[in-house]
Amino acid sequence: MPELPEVEAARRAIEENCLGKKIKRAIIANDSKVIEGVSSLDFESALLGKTIVSAHRKGKNLWLHLDSPPFPSFQFGMAGAIYIKGVAVTKYKRSAVKDNDEWPSKYSKFFVELDDGLELSFTDKRRFARVRLLKDPTSVPPISELGPDALFEPMTINEFTDSLSKKKIGIKALLLDQSYISGIGNWIADEVLYQARIHPLQICSSLSKENCATLHNCIKEVIQYAVEVDADCNRFPCDWLFHFRLLKKQLKLGQIVVSSLVIGYFILAKRSLARLLLTTSAYVPDLQKLSGTVATKAAGKPRKQASKKKGGDEAEDNVDDEDGVGDEPTNEEEESTKITKPKKGGNPRGRGKKPPMKRKAKESDDDDDDDDDDSGGNNDVSSEEDDEDPTEKGRKVKTNTSNKQAKTVKTSKRAVSSQDGKKPKRAK
């Protein structure tokens, strides 16, 4: 995902190559999911003949200031990228410009040709980006809702320390919150926390002043360095976690020897609008340790996770649960805590209410594949299914049930009717 350094590299490329030039041709994709709030024809007509005066950025958002409004703005999303024909904008691994690429790309959403023949395109393969035409991009969401820019408007150490002392959530979740600091995404958050030796799930208010000062400095250094090299990941220091964060194997990071360690992974959940977004976090467990109450809670998690896996809960293939942090402590996700706790408490009551029905099912259905009960009720299936299965199984064992049991099963009428036609009527 493009983050602050990648978007800043795009802004600087536009600033160096496109300012003072007039737009003589525009092609806007007919894609209402990406092109928001305006038709492609109206967008094109609003651009023609306009001169690009400046390029601006806040967080991961970019907009062009023309000689008159409205102005095009770009929210990069998961895979948005700015291409300028003949100009290397960034060599970030997910948005690298290749000389042999189709031009303009079939994924182009915004394409303009300038009066000197230079061509600029904004592409998005995954369609999570948003391109808008706004009179004042800074006065409306999403830009108006952003926190201070991590590069242009950094907090002081005292401001940063004081703000963290009031936060009761995990540090990585806070760094990813664009209303707190704008521009930090997944790889930057993992990098700065690794360099500061802070666990991603450490509660903000539990961090010492020294931890806060170290993290503040790491954020500044990582972002400034990435921007200086135009987000070219090949020029990032060899001991950065960035180069290894998606690899599950033993490592040696430059001068920092961690050959006996492995990178740990877990899924960090965060809620954005109506969607639940899952973000893979990478960290080095032996260097980034949890402390305080969070560590105590995490220590009790492995047994529960093991029992969940027995119930077939193995969807998170890329998560390393060896250190007991595969499912992060629920301090960060209050909503998920509210959802999972009732399930754990609900199933035992359901089983306690109808023990005879369960016995019937087990005695009568030898061929059934319901092995989930062996896990001790650890699978997250609702108790409604337990109520339905016995009645369905009861249909298969009609001849083995007594007349008293038949009164509780409506469908047993057909099984008993062959023996005594009057009894089914009485059972009503």
Side-chain angles (χ1 to χ4, degrees):
M1 176 188 291
E3 302 182 22
L4 188 155
E6 292 78 42
V7 181
E8 177 63 14
R11 187 198 70 80
R12 292 184 177 189
I14 293 173
E15 191 173 64
E16 293 171 6
N17 297 278
C18 304
L19 298 193
K21 299 177 182 180
K22 186 175 292 187
I23 299 172
K24 72 174 186 180
R25 184 163 68 102
I27 302 175
I28 305 299
N30 186 20
D31 185 347
S32 59
K33 182 180 178 181
V34 177
I35 309 299
E36 192 174 274
V38 61
S39 70
S40 56
L41 291 176
D42 289 343
F43 205 137
E44 291 168 0
S45 62
L47 296 176
L48 292 176
K50 299 288 184 67
T51 300
I52 300 176
V53 176
S54 57
H56 302 272
R57 180 196 58 77
K58 185 166 187 178
K60 295 180 274 187
N61 292 263
L62 171 72
W63 68 98
L64 303 181
H65 188 85
L66 308 179
D67 53 1
S68 64
F71 310 126
S73 71
F74 308 89
Q75 188 175 357
F76 280 57
M78 295 290 289
I82 289 286
Y83 291 174
I84 301 175
K85 191 174 183 179
V87 176
V89 176
T90 172
K91 291 183 179 179
Y92 177 62
K93 61 175 64 176
R94 291 192 183 91
S95 57
V97 179
K98 298 179 181 178
D99 295 334
N100 58 351
D101 280 348
E102 170 190 15
W103 184 264
S105 167
K106 63 181 178 180
Y107 301 110
S108 176
K109 306 300 178 183
F110 173 99
F111 172 85
V112 293
E113 182 183 354
L114 306 180
D115 54 6
D116 66 345
L118 198 68
E119 296 175 346
L120 178 147
S121 174
F122 177 83
T123 67
D124 178 29
K125 293 181 179 180
R126 300 187 63 181
R127 301 178 70 221
F128 284 110
R130 296 293 179 266
V131 181
R132 304 176 178 92
L133 190 65
L134 304 170
K135 291 184 178 179
D136 183 7
T138 61
S139 66
V140 294
I143 297 174
S144 64
E145 297 174 344
L146 297 177
D149 185 81
L151 178 66
F152 295 145
E153 307 163 305
M155 296 185 192
T156 66
I157 293 179
N158 290 337
E159 290 172 341
F160 187 63
T161 303
D162 183 59
S163 67
L164 291 183
S165 68
K166 301 173 184 177
K167 304 293 183 180
K168 303 295 182 182
I169 64 172
I171 182 61
K172 181 174 180 181
L174 182 65
L175 293 179
L176 293 179
D177 183 354
Q178 299 301 296
S179 66
Y180 178 69
I181 298 176
S182 59
I184 296 179
N186 200 36
W187 81 256
I188 292 179
D190 283 347
E191 188 64 53
V192 298
L193 290 172
Y194 164 71
Q195 294 193 20
R197 301 297 189 260
I198 297 173
H199 194 286
L201 300 179
Q202 190 68 48
I203 299 302
C204 299
S205 59
S206 69
L207 294 172
S208 65
K209 290 184 178 180
E210 293 75 16
N211 289 149
C212 294
T214 302
L215 180 58
H216 181 274
N217 188 56
C218 289
I219 293 172
K220 177 182 176 182
E221 289 184 350
V222 167
I223 290 178
Q224 287 185 348
Y225 190 93
V227 168
E228 286 173 6
V229 299
D230 292 328
D232 182 354
C233 61
N234 296 317
R235 296 165 65 188
F236 290 172
C238 62
D239 60 348
W240 276 21
L241 185 68
F242 179 91
H243 300 293
F244 311 97
R245 60 187 304 275
L246 298 180
L247 301 177
K248 284 187 171 182
K249 61 182 181 180
Q250 293 184 340
L251 309 171
K252 181 178 288 186
L253 304 183
Q255 301 302 315
I256 304 174
V257 178
V258 291
S259 56
S260 62
L261 310 176
V262 293
I263 287 186
Y265 295 84
F266 62 86
I267 298 295
L268 177 68
K270 60 176 183 174
R271 297 195 178 273
S272 175
L273 300 177
R275 296 182 302 170
L276 177 64
L277 303 179
L278 300 178
T279 302
T280 302
S281 293
Y283 68 108
V284 179
D286 284 6
L287 299 180
Q288 297 167 259
K289 296 181 180 295
L290 279 172
S291 62
T293 57
V294 181
T296 304
K297 291 181 181 179
K301 295 283 279 185
R303 291 181 182 177
K304 296 181 181 180
Q305 290 170 350
S307 62
K308 284 183 180 179
K309 286 187 177 181
K310 289 179 183 177
D313 200 7
E314 298 177 352
E316 296 174 0
D317 295 332
N318 63 337
V319 181
D320 224 338
D321 286 334
E322 294 177 0
D323 55 349
V325 221
D327 293 324
E328 75 277 18
T330 50
N331 302 57
E332 295 178 22
E333 286 299 316
E334 295 178 359
E335 295 184 26
S336 63
T337 306
K338 294 177 183 176
I339 294 172
T340 55
K341 284 186 178 179
K343 287 182 181 178
K344 293 178 182 177
N347 286 341
R349 292 194 207 103
R351 289 193 296 271
K353 287 181 180 178
K354 300 185 179 181
M357 298 292 285
K358 280 236 149 184
R359 289 187 192 120
K360 281 190 227 171
K362 288 182 180 178
E363 292 170 2
S364 61
D365 200 2
D366 295 332
D367 297 329
D368 200 56
D369 293 329
D370 287 340
D371 295 329
D372 292 343
D373 291 337
D374 296 337
S375 62
N378 288 321
N379 46 333
D380 295 331
V381 182
S382 66
S383 59
E384 293 179 3
E385 292 181 11
D386 293 334
D387 295 338
E388 292 174 4
D389 291 342
T391 59
E392 293 177 1
K393 294 173 184 176
R395 295 175 189 171
K396 300 178 183 178
V397 292
K398 301 160 192 162
T399 57
N400 294 333
T401 57
S402 65
N403 292 338
K404 291 181 180 180
Q405 291 171 333
K407 292 179 182 180
T408 63
V409 183
K410 295 182 180 179
T411 57
S412 63
K413 291 167 60 180
R414 297 177 185 173
V416 183
S417 61
S418 61
Q419 300 174 7
D420 190 350
K422 296 179 181 181
K423 288 183 179 179
K425 295 182 181 179
R426 292 175 186 173
K428 290 182 179 179

